[in-house]
Amino acid sequence: MKPFRALPSLLFTSFIAFAGCQQYSKYIDTTPSPVGDHTITGTVVIPPGINLPPDAIVTVWLVDRSQNDLRFAGQTIRQPPAGKPIPFQIDYKAEEIRPPHNVRLDALIEYSGRLRLMSSSIGRVNNVTPENADTPFTLKLAELSGTAAPAASGPLSSYTVKEGDTAMTIARNGNITMSALVAANPGLDWTTLKTGQKINLPAAP
């Protein structure tokens, strides 16, 4: 029976370890990470002059355009380093970025309960292919609110939000920049878009 003498001690140690994990779990990346044979790396770069608060959350996604913007892999980064490019690393399977898949990288930053910054998804920016997947990416973000957004200029049309729409998809489908879309809708909270909602859509350049 001697081998069982350590059982109470083992159970106690396991309980302490579990309690410790619970205490610090809010600082741990809990985004599901798929088992993959490849890794995409890079950095997220925020505009100069923006200081991220302690509650900032950075999310980077691999998005498949050919499957209605399906987010199939990603990473969430809590408490990112202030004033520095934010590194990311996402695991994926090689077949997930091969044709007929059409894959890009998207990034966003939230804090104080609102979406604040997003990467551009116009044209071929941040597209991921088998040829460039091993090269580190640089994802440049644009501010979605505040005085940094320029005033809207040119004609505006009305757009009705559809199910599944985001600022990214609306801008991409309209072939306009994120900054132009945000400037045309001052004060709009892009995290609360509702199906049927009317927003302003600037003309494509």
Side-chain angles (χ1 to χ4, degrees), residues 141-157:
L141 272 58
E143 192 174 17
L144 297 186
S145 61
T147 57
S153 61
L156 298 176
S157 58

Side-chain angles (χ1 to χ4, degrees), residues 8 13 19 65 69 71 78 91 106 119 122-123 129 136 152 181-182 184:
T13 303
R65 291 177 174 175
D69 286 341
R71 296 174 173 180
R78 298 179 183 274
D91 294 333
D106 279 344
S119 57
I122 305 301
T129 66
L181 179 62
V182 172

Side-chain angles (χ1 to χ4, degrees), residues 46 52 56-58 108-111 114-117 141:
I46 63 175
L52 298 181
I57 301 175
V58 183
L108 57 86
I109 296 180
E110 302 169 83
Y111 55 85
R114 295 187 63 178
L115 179 62
R116 303 291 181 168
L117 300 105
L141 272 58

Side-chain angles (χ1 to χ4, degrees), residues 169-176 201-205:
T169 61
I170 294 171
R172 187 180 69 251
N173 293 336
N175 195 30
I176 56 177
L201 192 67

